[in-house]
Amino acid sequence: MATLYEGFTLCGLVHAQNASDSGIQGIELDGDSDHVVVTDSTRNVTLFKVSDQKPLGSWTVKQGQTLTCSTVYNTHNKEYVGVSDNKVIRVWKDDDIHLDKAFKATVTADVWRIHSGPEGEPVVLFQRGGVRLLDALLSAPQQAIEEVLTDEEVIRWSTSIVVKQQRFVLFTTEQRGQQVLYVQRLNPNTLQKYTLEREDLGLLPLSYSASVRDAHISLLCLYPNGCVYQSVVALRRPVESEGPQALPRSLLLRLPVGEGQLGAASAVSLDEAHVAVVGVPHPSAGAGRDFLCIWNTHFQTLQAGKEMTGRIYGQLWCYSGKLFIPHGKTLSVIPYECQKSCLASVLGKLKQTGEAEPRPSGMVLSWSSLLHGDQAQPGRGIETRKGRLTRKSQSAPSLTVDQVLELIKTAPVTEVQREVEALLSRADAQDLQPSLGTLACHLVVRCLAEPAFYTPTTLAQLVHTQCLCHSLCPDLLLLALEKKDYFLCQLCLQLFRDIPEAVTCACLKTFLSVPDGDAEMVSLEPDSVSFMEGLVASGRGPGAQQNGFSPALYEEDSCDVPPSGQTRPEEGKDGQPPRESSPVGLHKAVLLNEVLQTAYSDDFLLPHLKDLSSQEVVLFLQYLQFLYMKYSQDLYTQTPGLRSPTMSQIMDWVCLLLDSHFTVLVMAPECKGLLIDLQKFVKNQVRLFSELGKMEGSLEELQKMKQSKDVGQYAIEVIELF
């Protein structure tokens, strides 16, 4: 089985002069599974942190210069490598600001692509088929590059792949409708050439994808008629005298294309049984709508589908369980998951463990029972006609999607809830994914138009399917805030990856203003509540030491210390740090934690944070201080699997609040003690890291020391640290 989870927008697209071009040349990993390097078609290279949708760095070439292939990351040297104006290779590091001042070298031939991998240095593929390792090329940039291709032969696609620790560069060419695959082996350098079979009507492939299967290279080709062919390249050392060989192919999948042919589409192999395809119509949605689909090639079945709005550009990248798709005006990231399938699970007939009904003795499980369920099972034993009629009347078919949409317009709440629940429980629920957004929008529209009509359970069920997002139903979260449905708010904050910063601040403002008593009456997600219960219950004994914090350090180097015998309201009578009790109730804290874990962009969030009142800012800062204190304790350890904010998220929000309200906080007398406490926390953390930095050199020397080979059964070694 396969699942497409709710996606989110990584960045907008900067279109080139050609409107049919997405403006993205390539997307590459940055040595970290959560970092990608995006190269546009003009002058910019941007490093993104995918989970936060944040740009971590950006580099631009001069006006008049153009990036001509995707930038890659050299994991060996921790450097970025790009090409401008076809022949200028540029190398730079994270801390370089201006590309013009970074290293650059001009080569003698036009570069097609630079390919990198998790192991080994980057490989440079030239437009005429020559291949060079990057270091060897940069050591002599003016070296002559051989021409492998004929004059009319043009490269259409290329990639780099590793099979049994052996590096290969694959590239396909096209000449007068003939497709050729080149397989270049590195160290030792050998070249194999294969001719690909022609498709009827002279159709050329829309996309290629290569993967490793059983120590061989598997090549997928998607054609405009919806046919996906697979070719297996056997890796062997070629005989020098032999010429190009015909590469056999087999039909792996035939996709529905509707009327006409596919224009811009792409297919990528996910594993040995699943293929992701974008730009192909959904079998049940009709023509004119493009989808991202995952197909099971073993059983020829559609496993998951998600409609992609806007223009499809025929580009698709897959990294670390995420699909990267430019469409319309955005670059979207859609997480996915594939599991091994059996025929029963593919057909939706496999029951979960523990839910299977006991079968009568002697009953045989047949293919008929798997394919048709309870419709025809001759081995079920004797059954009366009355029993058959009763069961038939009890299993009346549920309404179609269009019928439920009409029902939502006028039917009462109970009937709407019943029919939507029946629709979601159908065996073909996965085929309903494209329609769930429409269902949610119709429900929200009626809830807003008729204040007496509200279906919290149904809306929560739709959100739980993980087929919705904020951009698909933008009024859903605002409706939940208006109805004070904080459980639905929590679900949306957990499952929606594309919530705008303005809506995030609206949720924060609402959560801060809700009375603790009202929040405690709301049922919330159990894991998040369990986390807060454990956090509040974790106490600190007298004189306990925190990570980077202790009462002695807290009072040391303090500023604006009150006169002797006086204490600040935030301090205890003994002059100790503030009492470690949460300034908000348990459920209110759970809701605030959801805001802390929501993705945002600093530039867009800061203006909306200024709408918070000073009382709300102080309360939120006090809560963040409470979390910081708890997280800093040695006695408290987070329970794995419980949803909770990280220390980094807590500190980021503290910085954002101080940036947006610093003047107000400084001028307000009631905020003075809080700011002093925060300043001392930061000072103690700086002191802690400073002490750790002093130990770093000694610890590195310990790692370098060689252990004595002859230590016997027992030995004592004294190591002096200076």
Side-chain angles (χ1 to χ4, degrees), residues 351 354-363 374 377 380:
K351 294 185 178 182
E355 296 179 2
E357 297 177 359
R359 297 180 178 272
S361 60
M363 180 173 178
D374 295 334
Q377 291 187 8
R380 291 183 65 90

Side-chain angles (χ1 to χ4, degrees), residues 61 65 80-82 84 88-92 99-100 103-104:
V61 296
Q65 299 173 341
Y80 299 93
V81 184
S84 63
V88 181
I89 297 179
R90 299 174 181 268
V91 181
W92 70 93
L99 287 187
D100 197 52
F103 173 83
K104 55 185 175 181

Side-chain angles (χ1 to χ4, degrees), residues 58-323:
S58 181
W59 301 271
T60 306
V61 296
K62 280 185 174 181
Q63 187 75 30
Q65 299 173 341
T66 305
L67 295 170
T68 49
C69 79
S70 59
T71 298
V72 301
Y73 184 73
N74 188 346
T75 56
H76 275 235
N77 301 333
K78 311 298 182 185
E79 295 174 333
Y80 299 93
V81 184
V83 178
S84 63
D85 302 324
N86 294 313
K87 292 185 178 180
V88 181
I89 297 179
R90 299 174 181 268
V91 181
W92 70 93
K93 292 183 178 292
D94 274 320
D95 52 359
D96 290 330
I97 300 176
H98 302 289
L99 287 187
D100 197 52
K101 296 181 180 180
F103 173 83
K104 55 185 175 181
T106 302
V107 296
T108 59
D110 290 346
V111 175
W112 165 256
R113 285 287 186 273
I114 298 180
H115 293 289
S116 65
E119 299 177 1
E121 61 178 294
V123 179
V124 182
L125 173 62
F126 291 89
Q127 291 186 8
R128 306 309 306 158
V131 176
R132 291 288 188 277
L133 291 172
L134 180 64
D135 289 348
L137 178 63
L138 295 182
S139 63
Q142 292 302 305
Q143 61 183 280
I145 306 299
E146 70 278 4
E147 293 192 3
V148 178
L149 310 182
T150 61
D151 292 340
E152 297 181 0
E153 207 169 359
V154 180
I155 297 179
R156 296 301 185 192
W157 166 87
S158 66
T159 189
S160 175
I161 203 166
V162 178
V163 183
K164 290 185 176 180
Q165 300 182 345
Q166 177 67 58
R167 188 85 173 271
F168 294 87
V169 175
L170 281 66
F171 57 97
T172 60
T173 64
E174 187 265 329
Q175 180 182 9
R176 297 179 182 178
Q178 179 62 57
Q179 302 290 312
V180 178
L181 170 67
Y182 290 84
V183 180
Q184 173 73 59
R185 182 195 300 261
L186 303 177
N187 296 326
N189 293 328
T190 58
L191 182 65
Q192 294 173 262
K193 183 177 179 181
Y194 301 90
T195 57
L196 304 181
E197 293 185 31
R198 289 175 179 260
E199 185 67 358
D200 295 339
L201 304 177
L203 297 178
L204 299 178
L206 294 175
S207 73
Y208 299 89
S209 173
S211 57
V212 179
R213 296 286 183 269
D214 299 326
H216 297 296
I217 296 176
S218 173
L219 180 70
L220 293 187
C221 302
L222 170 64
Y223 285 84
N225 57 5
C227 292
V228 180
Y229 291 98
Q230 179 183 43
S231 299
V232 177
V233 181
L235 300 177
R236 57 183 179 81
R237 297 187 181 276
V239 180
E240 293 195 13
S241 60
E242 68 179 2
Q245 302 179 38
L247 185 64
R249 69 181 187 181
S250 59
L251 182 61
L252 186 68
L253 194 64
R254 187 182 295 275
L255 301 172
V257 297
E259 299 179 359
Q261 296 178 345
L262 301 177
S266 183
V268 172
S269 176
L270 303 180
D271 59 23
E272 61 183 9
H274 296 91
V275 173
V277 185
V278 69
V280 178
H282 194 283
S284 61
R289 299 164 65 183
D290 291 315
F291 282 76
L292 168 67
C293 298
I294 296 181
W295 288 81
N296 186 303
T297 57
H298 288 177
F299 302 110
Q300 305 287 301
T301 55
L302 177 64
Q303 301 277 277
K306 188 178 291 291
E307 185 175 3
M308 308 305 296
T309 58
R311 188 187 186 98
I312 297 296
Y313 303 99
Q315 292 176 301
L316 177 63
W317 291 270
C318 176
Y319 296 115
S320 305
K322 301 179 184 68
L323 296 169

Side-chain angles (χ1 to χ4, degrees), residues 20 49 103 295 467 476 675 685:
S20 63
K49 184 175 182 181
F103 173 83
W295 288 81
C467 298
L476 175 57
L675 292 178
Q685 288 294 311

